[in-house]
Every structure is written in C-alpha cells, then in structure tokens.
C-alpha cells in the first residue's frame, strides 16, 4: 500500500499568520476513528474484503454521537480516499458522502486529502506540502512555479499553483523508473484503471447537487489536474490526464441531466401558460421560470468548466509522446461527441479525430475508428459529419490496409456502416477497391468485406421474381439473379483459383444462399434454353466451383490454408451445425451428383471439381447406404475415367474412391468392387500391350500405354495395388543400360513413379505382410532392384527422368530407414539395406550437378531464363531435390560427412536454399553434435585444400574452388550457429584442436619449408575464437604452444602472420572475465583425439600450460629481462594484422593467471 502523503497548510496573508502542519493527537484520532467505524459498519458495503479487514483490526467503538459531533471539524478518515479505490463502488459512495460532509465543515483540509489522493494514485511516495496564496496574479508567486531536481538531497520536486494553494510535491529520483498503478502488469493495472475512473464518476455524481457549483472545489481540482498533467514526470502526466478527461466526461453527464431538467421545466412552463386565467398561477409560473434560469446558469457554468478542462488538459496532451495518453484523449473525445453533440460535435472538435487517424501507434488509430463507429451509428448525428466524411474519406479507405490487423478490420466495419447510412459517400471506385478484401489473408477483414459485398450486390431483392405466381419459381429466379451478380464479381476479380476464399468471406452473412444446395443443383441441371436468364458455360463452371467450395465450407469449417484469424477450437454449437450440414448435403448431392457428372462429362475441369464432392460425404448418414445411388455414381465415374486422362481428373477420382472405400458399409463394398474392376482392366490392357513391341510401333499405341500408366500411377498413389504385383510387371521397362534402346521418356517417367509407389506401399505394410524371413528377404531384393535401376536412370538423357529417378530412390531409402526405426522387434521387420558407395557418390554428384548450378548467388538458374514464373518453377524443383538428399543425411542413410560438399554452397546460395541447409544443420546436431561439427570442419578443410591446390597449379578459376574471402565468410556463418557457448563447448574446442592438427600435422621445418603449408587456415579458424570460453582459450593456446614449440617461429615475418592473427584473436577476448566461464569452469572437458601419437594429459597439479622445463627456464629469463628481449622476441606481433601487440611473456603470464579457472583437458 502506498503510504499516505503528508499535507500541511501555510498562510502568507497580510495578517501574517504563522505556518504549521495539520496534526491531531493520538487520543482524538483514535476516538474519531472509532466513531467513523461505527457509522461505516452500518453503511459501507458488507462484502468488501478491505472493510472486513478494517473491522477485524478495530475494537468496538464506545464513543457517543455528541462526542463525534464535537470532533467532526477535525475529522480524520478511517479509510483514506486512496484505500477506498479497492473497496468497490458502493463503498466509494459511502466514503465520498462522508468526504462531502467533511468538506462542508472544513473544505481546505478535505481538499488537501483529495489532492493527496491524486498524488498517491500517481504512484508517488513523496510528500505534499501546501502554502496559502491570496493573490493568484502575483508575479512573485508565478516565478516560484518550477519543476526541478535537487542534486544535494537527491530528490525531485514540483511546485505549482492550485489556487488558493501553492503545492510542493517532493519524491525520490527513481520514480520514473518505477511502475505506477495505471501501468502495472497483470490484472491489477486494468482493475485499478476501472476503479479509478469509477471514483471520479462517483465523486462528480455525489457532488452535483451540493458542492459542485461552489466555485472552489472545481477551481482547485482543475488547477491541480492541469498542472500535474503538464508535468515531465510520466506518472503524474498519465494519471492526471486520465483524471482530467474522465472528470470532463462526468461533467458531460451532469450537463445532460441539466438539459433534461430544462426541457421538462420548459414543457411544464408551456403547459402552465396554456391554462386558463383562472387556472394559472403567476407564482408557480415565476417559480418555474426561476428554476429554468437557474438550470441555464448551471449548465453554462458546467460548459465553461468543460471548456477549461478541454483547453488545459486535452489540447496539451492529445499529442503527448506517450501513446497511452493519446489513446485516452481520443477515446474520451469520441465519447463527448456522442453524449453531448450539441457542444462537441462540430468541425472544430472533429479535426482532432481526423488528425489522430494518422498517428504512428496502432492503438491510437484504433481508438479513433471505434469512436467514429459510435458517431456514424447514430442517424441523428450524420448531418454534422458531412464535412468530416468528405475530408477524411480517403484516409479511412487507406486504413483498411493498416499493418495492424485489428485496425484494418474495425476500419472496414466503419466503412460498412457508412455505406449503409450514407448512400452517396463511397464511389464505385471505392467499392471496387474495398470489395477486393474478400480475398484477404486475414479472415476477420475478409468476412467484414464479405458483409459489404453481400449488402452491396447480393442483398437486392429481385422485383421480377417477386411478381411470379409460383413461389418456388420466384425464389429460383431471385437466387439466379444473386448468383449472377456473385459470378460477375468473381470473374471480374480475375482470381479464379480463390473461390474458396470468396465463399469463406461470404459464409457468415450469406450462408443461407450458399447452403441452398437444392436450388444450386436445380439451376445447374436446367438447360440454358429453359431458363429465362440462362447461365453461360463460364458462369456454369464458376457456379460449380462455388458449389464445391460451399460443400467444403459446410463440412470442414472456415479453416483455410493461408488465411489466419480463424477460431482454432469450434464450439459445441458449431460442431453440431457442421454435422447437420454434412448430413443434409450427403442426402441431397448423392442423388444429384450422377446427373451433374453426366451433364458436364465433356468438361475435364468441371468434372474434376464435381468429383471432389463425395470426399465430403457423411459415411454414417442413412442416405450413404443407398446402394442404387452409389452404383449410379460409380458408373458415371467409370465413364469419366474412360474419357479423361488429365492429372486433375485422375488424382481427384483416386482420392474420391479412397474416401468412398473406407468403412464397412454397403456403399463402401460397391466402391471397392468398382475400384478393383477399374484397376484390373488397366492391368490387363497394360499386360496385353507389353507383350507386343509397342515402343517400335506407331505413336498412337505408345500414347495409349502412357495413358494406362498414368491411371495406374494416380491410383497407386492413393491405393495399395500390391495384389496386382505391378513391381514385377513394370520392372522390365527400366533400362539395364541407358546407352542402348529403351522405353520413351514419357513411359519411363510413369514407370518410375509406379515402382516407387509399389516399394513405398510394401514398406508401409511391413508390420502386416512380413511374417517370415523369406518375405523380408524378398522385400529387400525389391528395394535393391529399384535402387539399382534408378541409379542407372540418373544418367538418362531426359531431365524429367533423371529428376524422377533421384526423387524415387531418395524416397524409398528414407522410408526404409524410417521403418527400421519404428518396427516392433518382437515381430519380423524389414532387413537392413545399405546403398552401395557407388550409389551414394552418384546421389551426391547428382545434387551438385543439378541443384547448385548457375553463377548467381541467389540460386537462379541463369540469365537465359528471363521468365519469372519459369525461374520460380525451376527453383522449386531444385529445392525438392536438395530436400530429398538432406532427408537421407538426417535419417542416417548417408553419413554426415556426405553433406560437407553441400554446405560448401551455403553462402553462395543462401537466399535460395538457406532455410533447407539450416534445418539440416539443426537436425544433424540433434542426432550427434560432435559428428555434425566434424562435417563443418571437413567442409572448410576441403575448400581450403582445393584452393591451395588451385593456387599451386597456377590455373585460372575452376569450378568448385572458392576464394579465401568466401571461405572465411563461410566459417563466420558457421560460427554464428554456435550460439550457446556452454552447450557447444566441446564442439568449439574440437574445432580448434582439429584445426591446429590440420595445420601442423606431418610438418617438418626445413630451409625450403619454413612454415606449414596450411598455415593460412589459422586465419579461417580465428572466426571460431569468440565462441570459446575463457578457460578453453587458455587451454587451446597451450595446445597451440605444444605444436609450435618444436619449430622456429618468427612472428615478425610475413609468412607467420596467420599464426599471429590467430593468437591475437584468442587473447583479445580473454582479457575480460566471461560470466559463462564461471558457470561451466568446474567441468572437466575431454577432447576426443583420433591420433594416438598425440594423446597426452595435462598435469593439473603443475603448470596448466604444455611447456617443457627448458621452455620454462627460457620463459623465466625473458621475464627477468623484458627490456632485452623486447626487440628479439620471436613471438612479438607486428601492429599491422592484429589489433594488439602480443609477446610470449604475455601469453605465458596469461596462461598462469587464475589457475582455478583452468580445466584439465585430455589432448
């Protein structure tokens, strides 16, 4: 609880009364507290926890009413005004009534309590002192109004005039960094905001019939709030601005009540005037007129007070730097305009609302839009908004594209409201722009735009249809008119693949139209000649798409890919609605769908759309058991599959049959029999053609074979066709030698897909079919056969065949690896198959040859492909190839080292494939982070080795060779992936250890070879130095010293600069203590070492650095004569490459400092 601020009063009038603080004795205060508790026990809110708490702490009151009345002029509240905020509205009324009574007795002291209340609500824990002032215009007094910082005491203070006092508020310096009640996180901040506003409302409501018009209370209160709302302290400014505007809002309520009283009195006055002379009462007329005059004066005074608050608080704070203050001002301004339009709803006030619609903060713009919705929703206020609408209409339309989704949605609702109330405001161009939002990715915005579309185009009653004598015919004609308008809009939008988004946008407001499936199907089944306003073929195709989209919406709900803002959890009512709609459409469309398929059987696109409808049927619906309807549907599908061979029709038919075949109903049995009949027919046709030499015959027979293969491939993708043994039937079509005569590429493409599906189905059913070892061996033989044949197709002349062979091999190998991980050991499972090294190298070579092609760093296929769509398709194909290869590495089919070649192109093709390579790195680290790190090391070392060999050969630029700068940049990118220093501690140490060994392994110094050939690699290795913890840096330096101790090293020579640069990178960050090293320095770190010859252990009891005794003596000599060894120090670093000069003495002393931080490391 914030402590109550102390208040004192001083008088500096002409009589020279002495100043002093307001004090009360403990005895008087205690007696008065008891009297107060007795009265509050009868009147306060019984359910308030704070009241109960106060009652529990207090003792029973024994004072009498007479004693209480004697002490009333020195009354001290048992519950402070700040505490009453926590006690609810009823307790507020009780305490405020008591405060009013105290104010009537001693208004100065009560006002000081009210002032302290606002100071405490601002979160100020300081002290408030008051000094009386008799002359408001005194220049000496105004010069004292300051707000400053006292450097000596460390306190901030603000002195301002709240006539008749000069108030001084003193508080600690760190108040700005503290949370005051209004901005505290959690429910307390929201609760306090509400209770604080209620307090001001109750205060004005209780005072309006007593002390509100005494010209003393409001003057002081307005002066206080105006001054504090202008403070540079955020807490004062925020709290008092809220109090000021809420005070004005409460005064608006008072002005309204006064206006109502004036109207009633005026009516009563008119009634009295109309009475006869005998009935008239001059005294009563005079009394009514006097009351009207009094009410007018009070309203004028209230309006004057409101104008003062508006100018003193709103005009200074509506552009405040704090967004919360601007939001408060705009929100209350909208409330004033709506409640008291006679005074506030004019252009001089509306301009502030228009200006704030350009605010940078979304919440401020949202408050503007919400306030305008309240204004435009009242028809009586519309005439006063004409100028504002014409001035800011363009801004409101542009706000529908606001980056904040809620602002865009509320702005669209505002425009919908304007379109309903003001017909001529929005032009046809404006409507055209707004209606396109039905295709928005934000569903709330799209649904609101759907309301505008429905009200603008679809909600117009058809006059001709209503005149028809037949009610059903009239309804049909009206529906046709609406659908034509909808189809016309859809075709003009030129977004013909987004009909599901259009239906989803209209679903909330136009579901009755879209779910009228009997009318929709009757319109489609009618002949064009029989319709008064027949649909064209394009309109019929669009209506079929609308029908399918409505069926999907009724069964699956509003969840759409690419559209956000949808409720993730449906209510019980929504689920019941979906179930009922699904049963209704199943009952109707199962009977009508065969007729629709028969009518539109000549159009492949329309048939493909209609074939999607059975996928949404309710299998448990009684109508789904209608054998005759299902048989009729199967016959039409058979006829369509004989007529069409397009991929859309075949894939949709296969998925539809998969949906119909599921279950044990009679309809499912009919669907299964129809599917088996279709597949058997195609297998027989293919078998008959394969017995002939079809590929040397005419192209017509070859095309027929390709069509049969396409049908089998489409169905094999969804259905298990293992009983027809397609693997054995189609394997002979794959070439043993691609250089010799083989099947056409079109045939090979379909055969490869069919065979890969056969192997995948076999692997997925392993737990059911592999009951003996012979079957497992046969399955592995099939897998090996497919991989070998696919391996040969990787070198086929046709690009499509090569890609399909690669994807097929990768898919079956990935599925095989997955089955090995999930199979039940208690039963038979798939036998292990490891691809041959030749096949592994072929897969890697294929990726390098077909994925990382072209000189562009963004992964483009080359300058020849200028068409953007073609370039994107090619990029998508290459991403699919790379992702298939990465899956092999992730699932353990290929060693992680096989991905080293792929990561060489990480920087060059980061824009095109960076996300795939990052995911590959994350997955491999989850499997084995050490092996994943070795993969990155292998990548860098191979690139460096190739670069060095290319430089030694003296040739020009060669493929696969990158520059030294690009290799260093790649190392930097790799280093950025080691974010957690503790988690990847062993990995980073291994990188440095392996790099040092790579540089100095098998190096024998001689006059011809004074430096290691790979010494420049240390510059690349320095990119990982910042990822080492401080103890590890010292250990790695010791390990480096071990390898350099056997050689003569002169860092002043240019040939040894990489070593100097590497050492400097290690010691640059090692000077300061790393906080993370304290957390992990108590862990013993053991480095795996593949080389047994270099395995040694650092003795922890001795020096942690790996130096020989001779090295130690030499070190001591250099330390004892630093001035003699400065010039001849072989390890001194020149100032050119690194940023810091380094010596052996410095490195040795750095290794000895802080022995407790050194971790024993096994090299």
């Amino acid at each position: 609880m914030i402590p109550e601020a102390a208040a004192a009063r001083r008088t500096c009038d002409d009589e020279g009364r002495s100043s002093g603080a307001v004090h009360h004795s403990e005895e008087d205060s205690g007696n008065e507290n008891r009297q107060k508790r007795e009265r509050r026990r009868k009147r306060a809110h019984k359910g308030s926890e704070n009241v109960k708490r106060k009652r529990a702490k207090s003792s029973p009151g024994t004072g009498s009413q007479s004693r209480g009345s004697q002490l009333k002029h020195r009354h001290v509240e048992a519950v402070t005004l700040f505490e009453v905020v926590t006690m609810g509205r009823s307790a507020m009324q009780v305490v405020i009534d008591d405060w009013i009574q105290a104010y009537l007795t001693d208004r100065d002291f009560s006002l000081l309590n009210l002032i302290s209340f606002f100071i405490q609500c601002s979160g100020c824990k300081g002290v408030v002192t008051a000094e009386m002032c008799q002359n408001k215009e005194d220049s000496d007094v105004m010069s004292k109004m300051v707000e400053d910082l006292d450097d000596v005491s460390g306190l901030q203070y603000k002195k301002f005039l709240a006539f008749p006092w000069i108030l001084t508020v003193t508080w600690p310096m760190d108040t700005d960094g503290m949370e005051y009640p209004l901005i505290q996180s959690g429910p307390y901040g929201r609760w306090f905001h509400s209770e604080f506003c209620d307090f001001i409302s109750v205060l004005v409501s209780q005072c309006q019939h007593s002390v509100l018009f005494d010209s003393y209370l409001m003057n002081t209160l307005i002066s206080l709030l105006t001054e504090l709302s202008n403070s540079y302290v955020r807490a004062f400014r925020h709290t008092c601005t809220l109090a000021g505007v809420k005070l004005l809002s409460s005064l608006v309520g008072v002005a309204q009540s006064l206006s109502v009283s004036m109207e009633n009195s005026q009516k009563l006055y008119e009634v009295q005037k109309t009475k006869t002379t005998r009935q008239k009462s001059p005294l009563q007329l005079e009394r009514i007129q006097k009351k009207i005059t009094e009410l007018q004066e009070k309203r004028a005074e209230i309006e004057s007070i409101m104008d003062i608050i508006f100018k003193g608080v709103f005009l200074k704070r509506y552009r405040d730097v704090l967004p919360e203050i601007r939001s408060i001002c705009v929100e209350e301004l909208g409330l004033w305009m709506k409640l008291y339009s006679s005074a506030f709803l004019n252009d001089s006030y509306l301009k502030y609302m228009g200006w704030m619609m350009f605010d940078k903060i979304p919440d401020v713009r949202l408050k503007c839009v919400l306030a305008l919705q309240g204004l435009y929703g009242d028809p009586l206020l519309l005439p006063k908004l004409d100028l504002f609408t014409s001035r800011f209409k363009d801004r409101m339309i542009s706000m529908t594209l606001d980056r904040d989704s809620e602002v865009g949605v509320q702005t669209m609702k505002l425009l919908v409201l304007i379109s309903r109330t003001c017909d001529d405001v929005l032009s046809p161009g404006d409507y055209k722009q707004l209606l396109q939002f039905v295709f928005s990715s934000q569903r709330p915005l799209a649904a609101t735009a759907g309301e505008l579309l429905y009200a603008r185009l679809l909600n117009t009653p058809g006059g001709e249809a209503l005149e028809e004598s037949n009610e059903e015919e009239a309804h049909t004609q009206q529906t046709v008119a609406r659908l034509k308008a909808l189809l016309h809009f859809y075709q003009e939008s030129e977004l013909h693949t987004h009909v599901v988004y259009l239906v989803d946008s209209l679903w909330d407001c136009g579901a009755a139209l879209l779910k009228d499936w009997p009318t929709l199907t009757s319109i489609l089944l009618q002949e064009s000649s029989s319709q008064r306003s027949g649909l064209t073929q394009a309109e019929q195709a669009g209506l079929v798409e609308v029908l399918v989209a409505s069926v999907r919406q009724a069964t699956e709900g509003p969840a759409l890919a690419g559209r956000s803002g949808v409720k993730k959890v449906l209510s019980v009512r929504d689920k019941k609605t979906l179930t009922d709609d699904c049963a209704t459409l199943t009952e109707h469309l199962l009977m009508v769908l065969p007729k629709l398929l028969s009518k539109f059987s000549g159009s492949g696109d329309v048939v493909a759309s209609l074939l999607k409808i059975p996928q949404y049927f309710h299998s448990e619906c009684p109508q789904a058991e209608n054998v005759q309807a299902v048989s009729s549907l199967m016959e039409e599908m058979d006829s369509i599959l004989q007529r069409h061979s397009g991929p859309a029709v075949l894939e949709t038919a296969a998925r539809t049959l998969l949906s119909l075949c599921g279950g044990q109903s009679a309809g499912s049995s009919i669907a299964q029999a129809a599917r088996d009949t279709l597949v058997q027919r195609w297998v027989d046709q293919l078998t008959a053609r394969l017995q002939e030499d079809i590929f040397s015959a005419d192209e017509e027979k070859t095309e027929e074979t390709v069509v049969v293969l396409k049908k089998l491939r489409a169905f094999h993708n969804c259905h298990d066709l293992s009983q027809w043994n397609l693997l054995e039937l189609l394997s002979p079509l794959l070439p043993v030698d691609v250089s010799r005569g083989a099947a056409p590429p079109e045939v090979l493409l379909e055969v490869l897909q069919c065979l890969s599906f056969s192997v995948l189905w076999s692997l997925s059913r392993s737990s059911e079919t592999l009951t003996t070892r012979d079957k497992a061996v046969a399955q592995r033989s099939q897998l090996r056969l497919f991989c070998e044949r696919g391996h040969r197709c990787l070198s086929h002349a046709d690009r499509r065949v090569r890609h399909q062979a690669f994807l097929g091999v990768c898919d079956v190998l990935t599925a095989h690896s997955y089955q090995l991980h999930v199979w039940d050991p208690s039963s038979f499972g798939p036998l292990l198959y490891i691809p041959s090294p030749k096949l592994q190298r072929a897969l890697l070579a294929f990726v390098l040859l077909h994925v990382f092609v072209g000189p562009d760093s963004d992964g483009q296929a080359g300058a020849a492909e200028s068409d953007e769509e073609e370039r994107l398709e090619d990029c998508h194909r290459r991403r699919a190839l790379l992702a298939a290869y990465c899956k092999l590495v992730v699932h353990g089919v290929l060693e992680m080292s096989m991905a080293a070649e792929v990561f060489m192109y990480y920087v060059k093709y980061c824009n095109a494939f960076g996300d795939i390579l990052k995911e590959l790195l994350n997955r491999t680290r989850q499997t084995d982070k050490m092996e994943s790190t070795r993969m990155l090391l292998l990548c860098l070392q191979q690139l460096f080795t190739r670069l060095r060999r290319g430089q030694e050969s003296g040739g020009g630029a060669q493929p696969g060779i990158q520059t030294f700068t690009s290799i260093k940049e790649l190392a930097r990118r790799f280093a950025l992936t080691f974010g957690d220093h503790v988690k990847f501690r062993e990995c980073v140490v291994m990188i440095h250890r392996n790099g040092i060994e790579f540089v100095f392994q098998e190096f024998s110094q001689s006059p011809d070879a004074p430096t290691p050939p790979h010494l420049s690699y240390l510059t690349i290795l320095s990119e990982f130095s910042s990822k080492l913890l401080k103890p590890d840096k010292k250990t790695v330096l010791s390990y480096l010293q071990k390898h350099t101790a056997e050689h003569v090293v002169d860092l002043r020579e240019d040939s040894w600069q990489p070593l100097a640069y590497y050492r400097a990178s290690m010691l640059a960050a090692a000077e300061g203590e790393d906080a993370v090293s304290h957390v992990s320095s108590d862990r013993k770190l053991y480095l795996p070492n593949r080389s047994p010859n270099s395995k040694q252990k650092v003795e922890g009891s001795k020096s942690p650095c790996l130096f020989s005794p001779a090295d130690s003596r030499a070190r001591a000599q250099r330390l004892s004569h630093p001035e003699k060894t400065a010039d001849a120090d072989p390890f001194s670093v020149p100032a050119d490459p690194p940023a810091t000069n380094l010596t052996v003495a410095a490195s040795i002393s750095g290794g000895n400092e802080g022995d407790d931080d050194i971790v024993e490391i096994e090299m």
Side-chain angles (χ1 to χ4, degrees), residues 55-186:
R55 186 180 302 162
K57 291 183 179 179
S58 62
S59 59
T62 57
S64 61
Q65 286 289 339
S66 60
R67 182 174 179 81
S69 60
Q70 294 173 1
L71 298 175
K72 193 171 183 179
H73 66 284
R74 294 184 302 170
H75 178 68
V76 177
E77 295 288 343
V79 178
T80 65
L81 293 177
F82 181 76
E83 290 175 343
V84 79
V85 177
T86 65
M87 299 171 61
R89 191 177 183 91
S90 60
M92 287 182 193
Q93 294 176 352
V94 173
V95 176
I96 289 177
D97 286 341
D98 296 340
W99 180 86
I100 294 174
Q101 295 299 324
Y103 176 82
L104 294 175
T105 303
D106 188 351
R107 64 181 185 179
D108 291 341
F109 180 74
S110 299
L111 275 178
L112 286 177
N113 286 336
L114 185 62
I115 291 171
S116 298
F117 164 76
F118 287 106
I119 299 299
Q120 287 178 318
C121 288
S122 301
C124 179
K125 299 181 180 180
V127 178
V128 182
T129 57
E131 180 181 348
M132 293 297 294
C133 175
Q134 296 298 327
N135 189 0
K136 187 176 181 180
E137 304 297 334
D138 190 357
S139 58
D140 295 336
V141 173
M142 301 307 297
S143 63
K144 298 178 181 179
M145 306 298 108
V146 293
E147 183 171 4
D148 206 347
L149 169 66
D150 188 354
D151 296 330
V152 178
S153 61
L155 297 176
Q156 301 180 75
Y157 65 92
K158 178 178 178 63
K159 181 177 290 188
F160 58 94
L161 177 65
F163 192 79
W165 291 298
I166 300 176
L167 298 178
T168 303
V169 185
T170 309
W171 67 94
M173 290 178 56
D174 58 347
T175 302
D176 290 338
M178 299 173 58
E179 283 191 350
Y180 50 95
L182 281 180
I183 64 169
Q184 286 189 10
S185 58

Side-chain angles (χ1 to χ4, degrees), residues 525 588-601 610 614 617 628-637 640:
L525 289 174
H588 174 72
L589 292 177
L590 184 60
M591 303 297 296
V592 179
L593 186 58
K595 301 177 183 178
L596 292 174
L597 290 174
S598 176
K599 179 180 179 180
F600 296 101
S601 60
L610 289 173
F617 284 170
Q628 183 178 359
V630 176
S631 300
S632 178
L633 179 60
M634 292 299 102
E635 292 176 1
E636 291 298 332
M637 291 186 64
I640 289 172

Side-chain angles (χ1 to χ4, degrees), residues 536-596:
T536 63
Q537 292 184 355
E539 290 175 340
Q540 289 179 350
L543 185 56
V544 168
E545 293 183 8
V546 172
L547 172 64
V548 176
S550 66
V551 170
R552 187 217 68 83
Q553 187 82 12
T555 54
E556 294 184 354
L560 280 176
R563 176 162 280 185
S564 58
V566 184
K567 292 190 299 183
K568 296 182 179 180
V569 180
L570 297 178
S571 62
V572 177
R573 181 180 179 182
D574 294 338
K575 291 180 181 179
K576 186 179 184 302
T577 303
L578 291 179
T579 304
D580 296 342
D581 291 341
C582 189
T584 302
L585 68 90
T586 302
E587 181 179 357
H588 174 72
L589 292 177
L590 184 60
M591 303 297 296
V592 179
L593 186 58
K595 301 177 183 178
L596 292 174

Side-chain angles (χ1 to χ4, degrees), residues 290-357:
K290 182 178 179 181
K291 182 179 180 181
I292 293 175
T293 304
E294 181 182 353
L295 291 174
Q296 289 176 347
E297 292 176 355
K298 286 186 176 181
R299 189 177 67 172
E301 183 177 355
I302 290 294
E303 291 180 351
S304 175
I305 294 174
M306 290 190 298
D307 185 65
I308 294 173
I309 297 176
F310 182 85
K311 294 179 179 178
V313 178
F314 180 88
L315 288 183
K316 296 180 180 180
R317 297 276 68 82
Y318 82 97
R319 292 180 298 178
D320 195 277
V321 69
L322 194 64
E324 290 83 352
I325 295 180
R326 302 201 299 271
S327 298
I328 292 172
C329 293
V330 171
E331 185 178 10
E332 295 302 316
L333 177 62
L335 184 64
W336 305 334
M337 291 178 178
K338 185 178 180 180
L339 297 180
Y340 203 54
S341 57
S342 60
F344 288 99
L345 190 57
N346 53 61
D347 296 333
S348 60
Y349 291 96
L350 282 170
K351 64 183 180 181
Y352 301 111
M353 191 70 69
W355 293 344
M356 297 309 291
M357 286 196 297

Side-chain angles (χ1 to χ4, degrees), residues 110 358 451 562 668 675 754 763 802 835 842 871 873 894 982 1005 1053 1064:
S110 299
F358 294 88
E451 295 179 11
S668 301
R675 179 201 62 187
C754 286
L763 292 172
R802 295 196 301 269
R871 184 188 67 82
E873 291 180 358
L894 301 178
V982 178
Q1005 194 173 34
E1053 297 181 1

